[in-house]
Amino acid sequence: MTRPWTDAARPVEDRVRDLLAAMTLEEKVGQLAQVANPEPERDAAALAAGAFGTCIVASGEHAGNVRDAGTQAAAVNALQRAAVEGSRLGIPLLVARDVIHGHRTVFPIPLGQAASFDPELVRECARAAAREASADGVRWTFAPMLDVSMDPRWGRVAESWGEDPWLSAVLGAAAVEGFQGGPGGSALADAESLAACAKHYVGYGLAQGGRDYAEVDVGPVTLHNRHLRPFRAAVDAGVATVMSAFHTLDGLPMTAHRPLVREHLKGDLGFAGPVVSDWDAVGELVLHGVAADRRDAAALALGAGVDIDMVTGAYGTHLAELVRDGLLDPALVEDAARRVLTLKMRLGLFEAPYTDPGRAAAVQLTAGHRALARRAAASAVVVLRNEGALPLDAPDLGHVHVTGPFASARAELLGTWTLDGRAEDVVTIADAVRERLGGGPGGPGGATGTTVTVDDARFLDETLIQARAADVVVACVGEHPMRSGEANSVTSLELPPGQTELLEALARVSRRLVVVVLTGRPLALERLAHLGDAVVLAFHPGTEGGHGIVDVLTGDVPASGRLPVSLPWTTGQVPLHHDHLPTGRPLDPDGPAGRYRDHRDTPQHPFGFGLGHGEVTYGPPSLSATTLGPGQDVEVTATVTNAGSLPVVERVQLYVRVRLGRVSRPVSELAGVRTVELEPGASAAVTFTLGYADLGYRDARGVLECVPGPVDVRIAPHAGAGAAVRLELLDGDAPGPSTGTRPAVSAGTGARGGDA
Ligand code: BGC
């Protein structure tokens, strides 16, 4: 048989059309079936028949929270050979895996990466992960997760970019471009690129009570302005695939949500790639009570616009029969198969289906990737409190004691969803302290006699004796990764049992106590408000976690992490986010009449907060014009000064409050971030450009509109600070298309608040 679709010189659409014309109905359906962990011998007949088009390498147990056997190029090549050489049409397989925040080299969890407020860093981490995973034969990752996370009891907040839709959109788009090798999917055919997957479409971050998989109820305005925003940005960035979520939204499971998947995502937003279900979610339609059986579920899901059935097997078993029985339009199967085949061609799989088995050793865990992981881990560290205890700079530290359950932890630093990271690769916090401060003879601290001792606080009497003897105590506490991530919700955001008591005991005997909190979620650290001399939040920092954390503790790297989520005082305050709506009874945060009778109304630490090793002051913002009309831009500038004695890396944030709309607008909306590096005493004028459309808001149909009226604009170190300047939005026609435009951001040089 001649195979005109293999001619790479022809346009992809023509090749896919010719291939579809040569395919049987069963072969087309095969492209829509995704199986887990196929094996060339065991699955030879299915591979020869083209019974599945994609596969996922995953154990399915513990929702990806344990390391599995993984995959290697040789194993993928054997499968690929069976598909390409053993089947009638020679269609290559597409191999997927959850490459979430690294592969062999593990970067901080996404929530930690978000604390960098740095899209360039996120892009680099995703690029490095793609380079490593593609060397093992993987060409599709189920990342980034774009669920704007409203409830930190939900374990999957760890996989998210936090609570803010603008930040989620900017960082999510950067991750897409990193995985895919560039904007618009133009570099997908590069052997080092992965197809990205924007997940979980949509609203999953609202799971009721923070209970994973639970129902979601959300109105259309909030859905369009908050939860769909990062998905629009991902589509604009050229994301290759989208995953529908597990939950029901207003009673309808997302796997069967025709209005949001087929009509909005594929229609209004023009998404042209395949939509994949979540794991077994087609089958779960029966459990949700909207499908009588799996055959019914298959028809519902495909009709809703879900092109690929991840592991249920319902598509493979039932779709052809449904078409033959006249119960399913064959054009739906054709369209879904076209989306899958187009992606395979764009990835260059028809030309280069095999992976060079020698590449993994050359590209995984390289010095360059380790250096990036170290930089990323340092960028994720948020200093919450510092009563003169930091930085820990040699030479006069004396005796440093490192303690707590994470002092010598390895695998635990990697965080949730690290299928390919290895404990033995991890630099522990204790090792990094020893290396940097202990030194031994000739080491940085050794020459002056700094000694470092370590224990893991298993025998508290012994720990307290050592702490009392030390000049500095570094206590490493926090959440085990199995307490966050999928299916791991909690009812209390406090430190796990016993840890606060450990810290209280240490505080009583320590001369200088530095608390390092490792976590997958925002915690309620009220009991640490006055405890110890410094508290830092390091999330789950990855392979180079020890180095990254110690780089910040010592001041070798300026503390630049900022909170991508508000930190509540207590669990009962959640959900709590900076961009809430005003009420008709505004609250004076310092006044006597709070809403809660038993606690404060504001967070312990607001969104965007994080201290540097010094003092930074912000001048008042000024505008290049006081009015803004359609098609116009306005520049907002403030002078930021390093008033301290150490260099700083400042994440300067732009917030707006649009005072008038057809619906009530949030009291604070993040609209831009810029990074400035300032030497002691130095100042910089930081300028943001705001466009007219940046101040728009979407209506219940998703259409962007601007309402004339006053806007307060702030340039501030976090959501809870900064003086506002008043801008007047003028009348005009609704700006731009309903899909909006991707926010353009260049970290370190500038940021432009854009609608996504
Ligand atoms: C998760 C997804 C993941 C998939 C495949 C599901 O349980 O919700 O995020 O990509 O499994 O492993």
Side-chain angles (χ1 to χ4, degrees), residues 13 43 49 114 137 148 167 289 295 311 324 362 408 415 502 516 620 652 660 664:
E13 308 83 76
D43 297 305
V148 183
L167 193 63
R295 180 176 139 113
V311 312
R324 275 198 215 90
S408 300
L502 163 67
V516 179
V652 182
L660 199 60
S664 191

Side-chain angles (χ1 to χ4, degrees), residues 37 48 97 161 211 217 263 284 342-343 358 378 385 393 414 431 467 488 540 550 618 622 652 732 748:
N37 311 314
R97 187 159 172 80
W161 310 110
R211 291 182 288 277
D217 285 302
E263 291 165 20
E284 290 178 8
T342 302
L343 174 60
R385 209 158 66 75
D393 39 0
L414 296 175
D431 282 347
N488 295 317
H540 289 132
V550 172
Y618 281 63
S622 63
V652 182

Side-chain angles (χ1 to χ4, degrees), residues 379-453:
S379 301
V381 175
V382 184
V383 177
L384 297 177
R385 209 158 66 75
N386 182 14
E387 306 293 329
L390 298 177
L392 297 178
D393 39 0
D396 53 1
L397 287 170
H399 173 190
V400 179
H401 184 62
V402 187
T403 187
F406 286 93
S408 300
R410 291 184 187 279
E412 294 76 12
L413 295 198
L414 296 175
T416 187
W417 281 113
T418 47
L419 303 177
D420 297 276
R422 299 188 192 169
E424 64 265 29
D425 298 337
V426 173
V427 178
T428 70
I429 299 172
D431 282 347
V433 172
R434 275 196 208 98
E435 185 188 308
R436 174 64 178 79
L437 298 174
T448 55
T450 297
T451 54
V452 176
T453 54

Side-chain angles (χ1 to χ4, degrees), residues 49 75 108 120 176 190 228 306 317 337 345 360 555 587 590 636 658 664 697 743:
E120 199 42 53
V176 167
D190 180 340
L228 280 162
V306 175
T317 310
M345 287 198 183
L587 196 68
D590 303 316
V636 195
V658 180
S664 191
Y697 212 55

Side-chain angles (χ1 to χ4, degrees), residues 162-355:
E163 74 184 32
D164 185 80
W166 185 90
L167 193 63
S168 300
V170 169
L171 300 183
V176 167
E177 292 178 359
F179 285 129
Q180 298 193 163
S186 55
L188 276 175
D190 180 340
E192 294 195 337
S193 290
L194 303 181
C197 183
K199 73 184 187 186
H200 308 84
Y201 188 81
V202 58
Y204 193 18
L206 279 166
Q208 195 176 77
R211 291 182 288 277
D212 207 2
Y213 316 125
E215 68 205 74
V216 167
D217 285 302
V218 58
V221 171
T222 303
L223 192 66
H224 283 293
N225 288 290
R226 177 188 296 283
H227 300 281
L228 280 162
R229 186 171 185 168
F231 286 93
R232 284 196 300 273
V235 171
D236 285 346
V239 72
T241 71
V242 173
M243 183 187 292
S244 50
F246 281 127
H247 63 271
T248 60
L249 193 142
D250 196 17
L252 187 56
M254 286 310 305
T255 315
H257 212 299
R258 188 183 170 107
L260 279 171
V261 181
R262 188 173 290 287
E263 291 165 20
H264 188 63
L265 176 66
K266 291 180 166 181
D268 302 340
L269 302 186
F271 174 65
V275 175
V276 60
S277 80
D278 204 341
W279 182 279
D280 201 21
V282 175
E284 290 178 8
L285 290 177
V286 177
L287 297 171
H288 281 297
V290 298
D293 52 28
R294 289 178 163 227
R295 180 176 139 113
D296 201 13
L300 252 182
L302 188 75
V306 175
D307 302 298
I308 299 174
D309 164 10
M310 186 193 288
V311 312
T312 296
Y315 279 16
T317 310
H318 299 295
L319 287 186
E321 159 198 308
L322 282 160
V323 170
R324 275 198 215 90
D325 291 351
L327 296 170
L328 189 69
D329 182 353
L332 296 181
V333 173
E334 182 96 0
D335 175 62
R338 178 182 296 109
R339 287 169 185 264
V340 176
L341 294 169
T342 302
L343 174 60
K344 290 184 176 183
M345 287 198 183
R346 292 178 69 209
L347 282 163
L349 287 172
F350 282 82
E351 290 74 53
Y354 303 113
T355 306

Side-chain angles (χ1 to χ4, degrees), residues 586-625:
L587 196 68
D588 173 2
D590 303 316
R595 295 271 185 273
Y596 289 122
R597 283 288 157 247
D598 59 346
H599 220 299
R600 304 187 202 190
D601 297 282
T602 47
Q604 182 176 12
H605 297 292
F607 174 87
F609 175 82
L611 298 172
H613 296 320
E615 200 199 335
V616 176
T617 58
Y618 281 63
S622 63
L623 297 169
S624 60

